[in-house]
Amino acid sequence: ARFGVSIYYGSPDKKQFNEIIKGLAKKNNIVMDEAKLLLEANKWEVSHGGLSGRNAAQFINYLSYMEN
């Protein structure tokens, strides 16, 4: 408000969250059945603060770490 600019940081809905998960998984070469990937992502978002791009990225980083 100080400079007359407002930035909105919205949360994705469930469909958008799932698309973010699938896109990040592909980008990070994570090979997993899509249904299992989305189920695990759903568990993650419930226990880590809800739907957000940040939570999606943290989930994918976690999967990447677990694969190595």
Side-chain angles (χ1 to χ4, degrees):
R2 180 177 174 190
F3 300 105
V5 176
S6 299
I7 299 174
Y8 171 73
Y9 293 99
S11 296
D13 62 23
K14 189 66 157 177
K15 184 177 178 182
Q16 292 168 326
F17 181 78
N18 288 344
E19 291 301 317
I20 293 168
I21 291 291
K22 291 187 287 187
L24 289 174
K26 183 176 180 179
K27 181 179 176 182
N28 288 279
N29 300 315
I30 294 174
V31 179
M32 182 184 286
D33 176 65
E34 184 175 302
K36 180 172 174 52
L37 175 68
L38 296 179
L39 176 66
E40 294 301 318
N42 182 53
K43 291 178 191 176
W44 180 274
E45 65 92 0
V46 167
S47 64
H48 289 85
L51 299 171
S52 73
R54 181 177 178 177
N55 272 343
Q58 289 173 344
F59 172 68
I60 295 299
N61 289 340
Y62 169 78
L63 288 181
S64 295
Y65 175 76
M66 295 306 289
E67 284 187 347
N68 293 325

